Amino acid sequence: MFDDLPEDLPRLETLRVWHTLWLARINAKITAVQQRQAETEHGRRRRPSPAEWTVELGIGTGRPPVQVHAGDCHMAGKRRRPVGRDEARRLLADGMRSCTHCRPDTQLDIPGLPRGTTPVPPDRPLPQGHQPNEHSPAPTSPRGP
């Protein structure tokens, strides 16, 4: 039936050693893959649930909060910290900007805020190059009235 093997003993023994080595390599690889899958599954089960709300933090001393995001918003920067629902609502009600992408102000339905808008605090300067609009304070002249 399968008589394609050599007839002499030394070559048959060499083939047996060769295939034993290959079987050991295959078994080692199977063990490594099973270990990796077990670790991945363990990590998936132990992963903490994502934050419901996050606050994007600024740069500099104290890293002041800059903007509120939903926890799954991909527009949030790398500097952020999770916050609870109550703190997110308080920050937005106090004038913190909300992300224009995920709209946490709309999702939280904060009383006193018109739906879909976020107040801009008058003491916060406009970013360089932005024009004032009805939501931003009028620029003050350095020369006075």
Side-chain angles (χ1 to χ4, degrees):
M1 182 190 277
F2 293 110
D3 248 355
D4 55 346
L5 296 174
E7 296 293 328
D8 59 303
L9 189 58
R11 286 195 296 170
L12 286 170
E13 288 174 347
T14 301
L15 283 173
R16 180 173 38 188
V17 169
W18 176 259
H19 287 286
T20 301
L21 291 173
W22 268 102
L23 188 59
R25 285 185 66 194
I26 292 169
N27 286 336
K29 185 68 172 188
I30 288 171
T31 302
V33 169
Q34 288 173 336
Q35 177 69 26
R36 188 172 38 236
Q37 287 176 346
E39 289 170 356
T40 301
E41 182 58 32
H42 177 71
R44 188 176 297 121
R45 280 185 272 125
R46 302 274 304 178
R47 182 177 297 133
S49 59
E52 190 175 359
W53 308 100
T54 60
V55 172
E56 187 173 350
L57 302 173
I59 300 174
T61 306
R63 295 173 27 158
V66 176
Q67 196 171 28
V68 178
H69 294 271
D72 59 351
C73 180
H74 67 276
M75 297 299 284
K78 292 184 179 184
R79 294 177 315 275
R80 61 180 173 227
R81 68 176 169 87
V83 294
R85 181 179 184 84
D86 292 337
E87 186 176 356
R89 290 173 60 91
R90 182 187 56 78
L91 289 169
L92 289 170
D94 289 347
M96 176 85 42
R97 285 186 352 202
S98 73
C99 174
T100 57
H101 180 74
C102 63
R103 306 301 304 195
D105 55 338
T106 304
Q107 293 180 36
L108 289 168
D109 197 26
I110 300 174
L113 282 181
R115 270 186 87 86
T117 62
T118 302
V120 176
D123 60 335
R124 185 171 288 162
L126 286 173
Q128 192 173 21
H130 284 80
Q131 298 297 321
N133 59 26
E134 68 273 5
H135 296 293
S136 62
T140 58
S141 172
R143 290 180 263 164

